Amino acid sequence: IIACAGSGKTQVISQRIVNILKSDPKILPQNIVAFTYTEKAAAELKSRVLKLCKEQLPSLVGLVDMYIGTIHSWCLKVLQEHIYEYQKYSVLDDIKLKLFVDRHFQSIGMKDLNMEIFKDTNHYVQLMSIIRESELTNSTQDIPKEISTALTKYEETLNNAAYFDFTMIMTKAFNHLKSDIAFQIKIKDKLKYLIVDEYQDVNPIQEFIINSID
């Protein structure tokens, strides 16, 4: 859907979800996934879908099993549901991530890039995210060796402490979707319809994930 703000895209998407559920009694709410750009947008879409379902499908059960939310949250959900080792992982928000990076300054790769503790923390965190979320993830030869080494140290340090940053949630999910057949089957057997709001704003790693489960 290409349309300006306030033109009714959310209502159209909401009705589209309801129409899918009405079209075939074999389609369950758990078979539908809708990605939104923000949690606020997810809350609005959930509210609209719930209202329309009450009006048009009053006997429908299982709406709580329909996923409507960000790609990050969905990736975390499926990783922790289907892969045991990730159940112990916690997610670092922006503030906690910066504190974590400063605490592990010596081993996390900042020194390799001639960055200073505290002063360059924001730049370092942004760099780690940009590399993994960009098209560079498909071509490691395009990444300078010192940055590639820093990235390896960064991810190893997070893994050893059982932490995710927001980008790592997506890269882990994508890697499992690409290489773990059992994980892929579990996801695809359940998911029948995928809806992506604000598709123009997805980054390359998010697009890889969407294409992997499509």
Side-chain angles (χ1 to χ4, degrees):
I1 301 172
I2 301 173
C4 63
S7 59
K9 294 190 298 294
T10 301
Q11 185 67 19
V12 171
I13 293 171
S14 303
Q15 187 62 59
R16 164 66 174 158
I17 292 172
V18 176
N19 287 348
I20 291 170
L21 291 168
K22 289 165 68 176
S23 67
D24 186 347
K26 293 180 181 178
I27 299 298
L28 305 174
Q30 66 179 9
N31 301 140
I32 301 173
V33 168
F35 290 149
T36 59
Y37 191 65
T38 64
E39 295 292 353
K40 181 180 179 182
E44 174 65 19
L45 184 56
K46 286 177 184 176
S47 177
R48 299 274 189 98
V49 171
L50 181 61
K51 181 176 182 293
L52 291 174
C53 282
K54 284 183 176 179
E55 294 171 354
Q56 301 176 35
L57 294 167
S59 60
L60 180 69
V61 295
L63 268 176
V64 70
D65 297 321
M66 183 190 301
Y67 180 84
I68 298 176
T70 64
I71 296 180
H72 299 86
S73 296
W74 179 85
C75 288
L76 180 63
K77 175 178 178 289
V78 296
L79 284 172
Q80 294 189 325
E81 279 183 357
H82 300 298
I83 302 178
Y84 177 77
E85 66 182 276
Y86 295 127
Q87 292 180 5
K88 66 180 180 181
Y89 276 60
S90 301
V91 181
L92 295 175
D93 62 23
D94 291 339
I95 294 174
K96 290 180 180 178
L97 179 60
K98 291 169 187 175
L99 291 172
F100 181 85
V101 168
D102 288 332
R103 191 182 314 124
H104 295 276
F105 169 77
Q106 297 287 344
S107 60
I108 210 162
M110 283 185 72
K111 289 184 69 176
D112 302 335
L113 302 176
N114 297 317
M115 290 185 171
E116 298 180 25
I117 189 171
F118 305 129
K119 178 181 176 182
D120 294 316
T121 303
N122 279 343
H123 293 141
Y124 175 83
V125 171
Q126 290 170 4
L127 178 62
M128 294 298 102
S129 293
I130 288 169
I131 293 169
R132 291 172 294 159
E133 293 181 9
S134 73
E135 293 173 354
L136 290 175
T137 52
N138 268 350
S139 183
T140 53
Q141 64 266 27
D142 292 337
I143 305 173
K145 184 177 179 181
E146 62 272 18
I147 295 179
S148 179
T149 300
L151 178 60
T152 298
K153 290 182 177 181
Y154 172 70
E155 293 198 328
E156 285 178 350
T157 305
L158 283 171
N159 274 318
N160 291 338
Y163 283 129
F164 283 132
D165 68 6
F166 288 116
T167 302
M168 187 182 286
I169 298 170
M170 296 188 296
T171 57
K172 290 284 188 184
F174 173 67
N175 288 335
H176 282 285
L177 283 167
K178 185 169 62 172
S179 61
D180 186 339
I181 300 300
F183 179 75
Q184 190 181 103
I185 290 172
K186 288 175 183 175
I187 300 303
K188 291 193 173 184
D189 279 354
K190 185 176 180 180
L191 194 157
K192 305 301 181 186
Y193 291 89
L194 176 62
I195 295 164
V196 184
D197 190 22
E198 304 290 359
Y199 191 86
Q200 75 280 355
D201 291 325
V202 303
N203 59 41
I205 190 65
Q206 292 171 338
E207 190 165 38
F208 296 153
I209 291 168
I210 291 165
N211 290 334
S212 296
I213 60 178
D214 189 6

